[in-house]
């Protein structure tokens, strides 16, 4: 009796498999899932239509006041709320990743040197602030390479006062900030273009402060105080 049952059962399995499975067909219907594991999620696919919004599009326009990646965030919101009129160290909103010196640090394919815009006291202050926030953890407040990260095991942090870096073109430093170098990661995605230049201006001031500056370079009013310190 049991023999016939097994035979019938085997036939039934063959029948079901031959009718329901292994048919080599594709289906757009989702399979039956006992444990769905969040395979199916309500989401919007890029560029797809959507019945959720009245205009039928799934992609939404950026809200007013959105700052695109690479543009400067207006530092001080002007009274009229117009993005183009930010005040503070930078009067203009710059767009990054162009082929120009400002964006690349290169002039005709070579590292250029010099500031792509005027250095003002505000810009220096901005550079000091940004350096302290972004760089001092490793390079130290004076740039001597003795920041706190060194105490937690980061080795070979560059001393920014070494002769080679004093002589390095501004454009190459710009590139190091943007792309990183060896164990230093790039900061291009988190420091605005103009802030990178402000940091470079501040690094140059730090380098001067640690040697090579002449009394003539100090503003006249402050020379006497320096002489007294000697
Ligand atoms: C997480 C630690 C860390 C931070 C933060 C950091 N650096 Fe560095 N930096 C390094 C290390 C490590 C090196 C040495 C890399 C190497 O081996 O050449 C370096 C090298 C440099 C150099 C020398 C590049 C060369 O040509 O040899 C410059 C210039 C520099 N950093 C500038 C900066 C500036 C500006 C900032 C802030 C925007 C900054 N770094 C933030 C770790 C850091």
């Amino acid at each position: 009796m049991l023999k016939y049952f097994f035979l019938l059962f085997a036939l039934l399995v063959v029948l079901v498999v031959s009718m329901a499975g292994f048919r080599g067909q594709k289906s757009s219907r989702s399979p039956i899932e006992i444990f769905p594991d969040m395979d199916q999620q309500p989401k919007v696919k890029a560029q797809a239509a959507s019945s959720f919004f009245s205009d039928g599009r799934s992609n939404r326009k950026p809200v007013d006041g959105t700052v695109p990646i690479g543009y400067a965030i207006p530092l001080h919101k002007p009274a009229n709320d117009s993005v183009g009129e930010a005040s503070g160290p930078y009067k203009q909103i710059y767009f990054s990743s162009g082929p120009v010196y400002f964006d690349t640090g290169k002039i005709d394919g070579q590292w250029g040197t010099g500031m792509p815009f005027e250095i003002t006291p505000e810009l220096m202050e901005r550079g000091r602030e940004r350096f302290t926030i972004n760089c001092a953890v490793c390079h130290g407040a004076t740039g001597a390479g003795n920041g706190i990260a060194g105490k937690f095991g980061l080795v070979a942090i560059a001393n920014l006062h070494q002769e080679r870096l004093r002589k390095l073109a501004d454009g190459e430093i710009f590139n190091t900030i943007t792309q990183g170098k060896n164990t230093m990661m790039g900061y291009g995605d988190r420091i605005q273009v103009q802030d990178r230049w402000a940091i470079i201006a501040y690094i140059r001031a730090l380098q001067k402060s640690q040697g090579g500056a002449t009394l003539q370079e100090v503003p006249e009013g402050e020379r006497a105080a320096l002489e007294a310190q000697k």
Side-chain angles (χ1 to χ4, degrees):
M1 183 68 204
L2 206 62
K3 200 166 65 181
Y4 292 112
F5 173 76
F6 276 127
L7 200 67
L8 210 69
F9 185 73
L11 271 174
L12 206 72
V13 166
V14 169
L15 198 73
V16 166
V17 169
S18 60
M19 283 175 68
F22 304 132
R23 284 184 298 174
Q25 285 168 346
K26 286 183 179 156
S27 164
S28 57
R29 275 182 296 157
S30 44
I32 301 160
E33 287 174 287
I34 317 273
F35 302 107
D37 287 337
M38 296 178 76
D39 282 348
Q40 311 294 328
Q41 298 170 38
K43 68 178 171 216
V44 167
K45 292 207 168 125
Q47 313 292 344
S50 163
S51 56
F52 185 79
F53 296 107
S54 58
D55 64 1
R57 294 190 291 184
S58 58
N59 288 29
R60 310 316 299 159
K61 283 190 179 154
V63 292
D64 284 348
T66 300
V67 180
I69 291 174
Y71 280 72
I73 295 168
L75 297 175
H76 306 287
K77 210 174 182 191
N80 65 6
D81 203 12
S82 141
V83 175
E85 289 172 36
S87 54
Y90 317 118
K91 302 280 183 267
Q92 212 184 326
I93 299 296
Y94 292 105
F95 180 58
S96 66
S97 79
V100 295
Y101 178 55
F102 175 73
D103 286 316
T104 60
K106 280 187 174 173
I107 299 170
D108 292 337
Q110 306 285 326
W111 299 124
T113 208
M115 282 292 130
F117 42 74
E118 197 194 336
I119 307 173
T120 59
E122 291 152 298
L123 186 115
M124 272 302 209
E125 179 52 31
R126 177 85 181 163
R128 187 194 63 77
E129 183 196 81
R130 296 293 115 181
F131 179 88
T132 311
I133 291 170
N134 295 291
C135 322
V137 279
C138 291
H139 291 284
T142 63
N146 56 355
I148 188 79
K151 297 200 172 57
F152 288 90
L154 189 66
V155 293
I157 302 170
N159 176 352
L160 301 179
H161 301 297
Q162 56 186 286
E163 203 50 33
R164 186 178 67 80
L165 296 184
R166 281 173 178 265
K167 292 198 184 118
L168 203 68
D170 294 333
E172 197 165 348
I173 297 184
F174 178 85
N175 188 63
T176 297
I177 302 175
T178 312
Q179 312 284 354
K181 183 164 187 192
N182 298 330
T183 46
M184 174 180 153
M185 67 173 201
Y187 283 79
D189 60 348
R190 62 204 73 195
I191 301 177
Q192 305 287 340
V193 180
Q194 56 271 57
D195 280 346
R196 286 175 233 160
W197 289 109
I199 288 172
I200 295 167
Y202 183 66
I203 289 177
R204 292 308 188 202
L206 282 178
Q207 289 173 336
K208 280 240 175 241
S209 79
Q210 303 292 308
T214 60
L215 200 58
Q216 270 58 48
E217 289 173 283
V218 177
E220 234 175 321
E222 291 164 33
R223 283 179 204 165
L226 278 176
E227 289 278 53
Q229 273 178 25
K230 270 191 186 168

